[in-house]
Amino acid sequence: MNDHGVVTIPATEYRRSRWRNGRGWTREILVLPDPDAWDLRLSIAEVDAAADFSPFHGVEREQVLLHGNGLQLHFDDGERVDLLPPHQRARFAGDRPVTGIPVDGPVQVFNLMWRPERMSAVLFHRPLVGGMWCFADARTAWAVHVLAGAARIGAGGHEQATLAQGDSAWLAPGTGKQRYSIDGGGELLLVRVAGPGDAVARLDDAEPA
């Protein structure tokens, strides 16, 4: 982490491991505060064939299709949700039994998981045309994932990180208010993380520069 709280996470450093139930693979982007007792987890799941998802009790999760022709989510209660190109998404409880069935070949999905009793998390899919601002404080932080193109993150009047497609960054909370600039061209996934009970994030929380 640099002096302004920016942690750059290149795609080449994502940790690849088996799912907890052994049915697929995941590339772990960020786990906080501890890998064995986390409250927030960002990862990319690789689904090559029909597979039951690992259950996570007390966890909310949201998935976004990154690559592939689509993913069908078949829940044991009978509901079916399709994640279709380019970046359709779905939110559901982590302990809800579900099977993921890829459509016509392997798929990859961005996987956001968090414990709502410890924090709130809101996921935005935003175009990056020019620039935008993200505002952080002692109770608010941001995660950034570059879907397409490239992005530069600045703070304190200086460039702090450069992200290519597939890279991520963590804009950490601090003791005071912090304003991060993001500029470049492409598409981003932004995750606003706040303390429990804080107001739900609005799109205005990530404002065009």
Side-chain angles (χ1 to χ4, degrees):
M1 181 185 301
N2 63 31
D3 291 341
H4 290 277
V6 178
V7 181
T8 305
I9 314 169
T12 54
E13 295 183 6
Y14 298 167
R15 186 173 65 89
R16 191 169 186 259
S17 60
R18 295 291 290 180
W19 291 2
R20 191 166 63 177
N21 65 7
R23 299 297 300 275
W25 291 90
T26 191
R27 287 185 289 145
E28 196 170 84
I29 299 172
L30 179 69
V31 181
L32 295 173
D34 183 88
D36 297 321
W38 51 264
D39 296 329
L40 176 71
R41 184 171 185 245
L42 306 180
S43 62
I44 296 173
E46 303 171 2
V47 189
D48 297 331
D52 301 336
F53 286 6
S54 301
F56 290 91
H57 298 286
V59 169
E60 284 289 309
R61 69 191 305 172
E62 189 161 357
Q63 294 191 330
V64 182
L65 183 70
L66 295 180
H67 302 290
N69 294 315
L71 179 68
Q72 298 175 351
L73 301 178
H74 288 213
F75 294 92
D76 284 10
D77 60 16
E79 184 182 5
R80 173 178 148 175
V81 177
D82 293 338
L83 304 185
L84 300 176
H87 300 299
Q88 198 165 2
R89 66 195 202 183
R91 175 176 170 172
F92 52 96
D95 58 359
R96 190 178 176 195
V98 61
T99 299
I101 303 174
V103 177
D104 192 22
V107 300
Q108 295 182 12
V109 292
F110 182 86
N111 193 31
L112 162 65
M113 294 193 289
W114 73 98
R115 299 188 187 278
E117 77 277 9
R118 302 297 302 272
M119 62 179 58
S120 65
V122 183
L123 177 65
F124 304 119
H125 176 198
R126 299 295 301 273
L128 181 61
V129 181
M132 64 178 68
W133 300 105
C134 288
F135 298 93
D137 54 34
R139 293 175 58 83
T140 307
W142 292 82
V144 182
H145 179 76
V146 181
L147 284 175
R152 294 178 298 274
I153 298 175
H158 301 283
E159 184 174 309
Q160 303 295 325
T162 301
L163 307 180
Q165 182 173 331
D167 292 344
S168 302
W170 174 245
L171 312 183
T175 56
K177 292 187 179 295
Q178 178 68 274
R179 184 176 70 170
Y180 296 101
S181 65
I182 306 177
D183 67 87
E187 293 180 82
L188 303 178
L189 291 178
L190 297 168
V191 181
R192 181 185 183 269
V193 180
D198 286 358
V200 174
R202 304 164 298 161
L203 288 179
D204 292 346
D205 290 329
E207 298 175 349

